[in-house]
Every structure is written in structure tokens, then in C-alpha cells.
Amino acid sequence: DTVRRRMMMQSGTGKVMYKNSFDCFAQLVKKEGAKAFFHGGFSNIIRGTGGALVLVLYGEIQDALGLKK
């Protein structure tokens, strides 16, 4: 996901930073280390958990209010 995002960000600048996906991956590892691939990982976990809770609670609230058919 990080490589895809970096490749997409470069397309809007007009400046070519990476030749291809593998080059992007190699440069990230070299310059930023393996940690670069986990930036924002915690936010994605929270977002996924929140989405799952919404789906579960929606059904439970419908049951509690007697709205489910």
C-alpha cells in the first residue's frame, strides 16, 4: 500500500522520483527502513475496528428497538 501511495503521489508532481514499483520499494527500504511500510498502520486498525463496530451495533440497535423484520 505504501509503494502504491508513493507512486501515486509522484504522478501529480511531474517529477519522476521512482522508475517503477520495485525501485520505489528499494528506495523506501534504503532511505527510511522497514518502518516506512507501517506508517499509518495504527490508524488503519482503528478505522477497520470502527467500521466493524458500526456494522455490529447497527444490527443490535435494530434488535433492541424491535425494528428488525
Side-chain angles (χ1 to χ4, degrees), residues 42-53:
F42 185 69
S43 299
N44 285 334
I45 291 170
I46 297 299
R47 187 179 310 124
T49 304
L53 285 173

Side-chain angles (χ1 to χ4, degrees), residues 1 10 15 20 22 28 30 32 36 38 40 42 44-45 50 55 57 61-63 65-66 68-69:
D1 193 47
Q10 105 173 342
K15 178 181 160 190
N20 52 41
F22 183 75
L28 279 171
K30 183 178 177 184
E32 300 179 37
F38 298 99
F42 185 69
N44 285 334
I45 291 170
L55 292 173
L57 290 176
I61 290 171
Q62 279 189 328
D63 286 344
L65 296 175
K68 209 170 202 178
K69 294 179 182 178

Side-chain angles (χ1 to χ4, degrees), residues 7 17-28:
M7 294 291 288
M17 297 167 53
Y18 311 109
K19 296 177 201 169
N20 52 41
S21 296
F22 183 75
D23 180 51
C24 180
F25 179 85
Q27 284 189 38
L28 279 171

